Amino acid sequence: MAVTHDVLIIGGGAAGLMCALTAGQRGRRVLVIDHANRVGKKILMSGGGRCNFTNTGTTPANFLSANPHFCKSALARYTPMDFIGMVERHGIAYHEKELGQLFCDVSSKLIVKMLLDECAAAQVSVETGCTVERVQRTDDGFRLHTSHGSFAAPALVVASGGLSIPSMGASGFGYELARQFGHNVLPTRAGLVPLTLTGKHQERLQDLSGVALPVTATCHQQSFHNFMLVTHRGVSGPAILQISSYWQPGDDLRLDLLPGQDALAWLKEQQKQRSAAELKTVLSDVLPRRFAQRLCELWLPNRPLKQYNEPQLREIAEVLGAWPLVASGTEGYRTAEVTLGGVDTDELSSSTLMSKRVPGLYFIGEVVDVTGWLGGYNFQWAWASGHAAGMAV
Ligand code: FDA
């Protein structure tokens, strides 16, 4: 079969569309294949419908990977400013929410439209509702047998994403294809995901569902300061989603309930000023009242402050500064924003994302073992890795 295109891209998500428009602008004949009925579904649902499309503070330190250096090259060659430039050229209004996170003012639909307009201008073809049945390596490159016929090209880009939100088209396709071509796939698990509690740990908090408080969550020397939300099945909120990517069942997870404060100094000051007040009353001034009460029922002895001696105050400060949260698991791929692990970066070029085993085969975006923090970093990796491959194919 004769070559039909220069580049075939499996997956019309963030990374696939960016790769397509970049390669198309370089004059390559590009075909994007997606099994979903429309491209960019995750972009549409992202950021509560307003797409947190990048983070102006993106650095390689905001990513998890077995090789933390791998993401550096692509991130350096396509920066948040590059993507912002495209957003501004298309007249899309945006704002910074917090911590460098940029969101559309109106709708994430505008980001998908922008990517599709760029693809159309670069003559990129898109096949949606198209199932890839078989991928074959040929003398000239690759041949795809699909529900819409066969296509052949010297370059094949796998941009099929991770396992999170199966109802949005997520599949393990990219991992299977990587294995088919002899690539190692590192174990995958849900990331940026709520944690679940069971047994007495759940019973102790369950009726506080809806209570939110700022915390610093720490696991494996990684800390995130943000809000935690108690849910009916466990805990969520940005601080928990962030730390979930670093946590695995059995790991020690601690919450500083008075972030930014020296708990012992604060308790001593309170003891001086309000010696007759009970601990739960004093704590209710700085924590949600029901949460403070629960702490004093189950974790801390509740007495008037004047009745504590220094070692006792020290013990209370230790609990407040490093409250142990015993989670049993996560809510899993059903609600996770990302998939950790994936195609091992050891066998990919960090500058082009091409396979070191199979020339012409590329892996980009979330299918690769590079996972960002919450806050626009995952899209920035999708844009950067898509751009790197799009410049190389
Ligand atoms: P992506 O998942 O975008 O695309 C993969 C594409 O491949 C899909 O179109 C899919 O249909 C297709 N596909 C899969 N299997 C296939 C097969 N067998 N054949 C053909 N096609 C196939 N990140 C961020 O930075 N800011 C944010 O605001 C958010 N918000 C957010 C909200 C929610 C609810 C989720 C689930 C995720 C986020 N994310 C995020 C994460 C972000 O969406 C994610 O990291 C990127 O979309 C990854 O881009 P990819 O292109 O790699 O995969």
Side-chain angles (χ1 to χ4, degrees):
M1 182 192 179
V3 158
T4 58
H5 297 83
D6 297 320
V7 189
L8 300 174
I9 301 176
I10 303 179
L17 292 177
M18 175 56 87
C19 181
L21 70 89
T22 307
Q25 283 165 359
R26 291 176 52 241
R28 302 292 183 266
R29 289 170 302 158
V30 183
L31 172 65
V32 177
I33 294 171
D34 205 298
H35 65 172
N37 58 353
R38 62 191 295 186
V39 295
K41 279 193 175 182
K42 270 200 194 155
I43 302 175
L44 292 175
M45 74 189 297
S46 68
R50 296 226 168 128
C51 187
N52 176 195
F53 56 80
T54 192
N55 192 299
T56 55
T58 303
T59 71
N62 305 118
F63 296 85
L64 294 90
S65 172
N67 176 2
H69 303 292
F70 181 81
C71 61
K72 288 182 179 172
S73 171
L75 289 175
R77 281 175 302 128
Y78 193 85
T79 66
M81 284 317 293
D82 291 317
F83 194 77
I84 293 165
M86 177 157 47
V87 167
E88 290 181 349
R89 277 199 307 282
H90 284 255
I92 300 173
Y94 63 91
H95 61 277
E96 179 176 340
K97 198 167 157 196
E98 53 168 356
L99 309 167
Q101 302 171 8
L102 302 190
F103 285 76
C104 296
D105 284 358
V106 180
S107 164
S108 26
K109 283 182 194 160
L110 297 174
I111 297 291
V112 176
K113 181 176 181 305
M114 171 187 81
L115 296 169
L116 285 177
D117 286 351
E118 291 275 338
C119 281
Q123 322 280 321
V124 170
S125 311
V126 180
E127 292 278 341
T128 50
C130 180
T131 309
V132 180
E133 283 147 9
R134 201 151 53 90
V135 178
Q136 241 184 317
R137 201 168 165 203
T138 63
D139 291 344
D140 314 328
F142 303 87
R143 184 177 306 159
L144 301 193
H145 301 271
T146 79
S147 56
H148 293 189
S150 296
F151 305 101
L156 173 63
V157 181
V158 182
S160 52
L163 295 167
S164 15
I165 325 272
S167 58
M168 282 291 129
S171 78
F173 179 88
Y175 307 122
E176 284 151 34
L177 196 68
R179 287 191 194 98
Q180 177 191 330
F181 284 108
H183 273 264
N184 184 35
V185 177
L186 297 172
T188 55
R189 63 193 164 87
L192 301 182
V193 64
L195 298 179
T196 52
L197 309 177
T198 49
K200 70 173 187 215
H201 304 292
Q202 188 192 17
E203 282 160 24
R204 288 167 163 182
L205 291 183
Q206 200 172 29
D207 62 317
L208 301 185
S209 174
V211 168
L213 62 153
V215 299
T216 298
T218 301
C219 185
H220 295 298
Q221 276 101 51
Q222 184 68 48
S223 295
F224 292 96
H225 170 54
N226 213 314
F227 276 85
M228 169 181 92
L229 171 72
V230 181
T231 68
H232 62 285
R233 286 164 53 88
V235 282
S236 187
I240 297 300
L241 298 182
Q242 295 280 33
I243 207 69
S244 72
S245 295
Y246 290 84
W247 176 90
Q248 293 200 61
D251 288 350
D252 189 46
L253 171 52
R254 302 278 168 161
L255 302 182
D256 182 346
L257 302 173
L258 297 178
Q261 290 214 47
D262 176 339
L264 183 60
W266 179 79
L267 282 166
K268 284 181 176 172
E269 186 57 32
Q270 297 302 310
Q271 195 179 42
K272 246 194 247 162
Q273 288 179 10
R274 322 159 64 179
S275 65
E278 287 188 354
L279 180 63
K280 70 175 179 197
T281 312
V282 173
L283 281 177
S284 298
D285 288 349
V286 288
L287 295 171
R289 189 180 48 80
R290 288 161 66 208
F291 192 84
Q293 282 178 348
R294 186 59 47 87
L295 274 180
C296 292
E297 283 159 24
L298 297 170
W299 285 275
L300 299 170
N302 184 50
R303 295 202 287 273
L305 293 186
K306 63 184 169 207
Q307 293 182 15
Y308 297 110
N309 58 28
E310 163 107 18
Q312 288 167 333
L313 280 187
R314 205 171 281 281
E315 273 173 36
I316 296 168
E318 274 166 23
V319 172
L320 292 173
W323 184 62
L325 182 74
V326 185
S328 56
T330 76
E331 291 280 1
Y333 293 119
R334 196 178 49 82
T335 55
E337 270 201 22
V338 285
T339 303
L340 292 149
V343 178
D344 195 340
T345 59
D346 265 4
E347 294 164 323
L348 300 178
S349 153
S350 63
S351 56
T352 64
L353 282 298
M354 189 171 83
S355 161
K356 291 178 187 168
R357 303 180 72 94
V358 184
L361 179 65
Y362 297 75
F363 292 91
I364 58 172
E366 197 178 320
V367 74
V368 178
D369 171 38
V370 173
T371 308
W373 291 0
L374 185 76
Y377 303 100
N378 283 295
F379 279 138
Q380 189 56 37
W381 168 247
W383 314 137
S385 59
H387 182 263
M391 290 302 285
V393 283

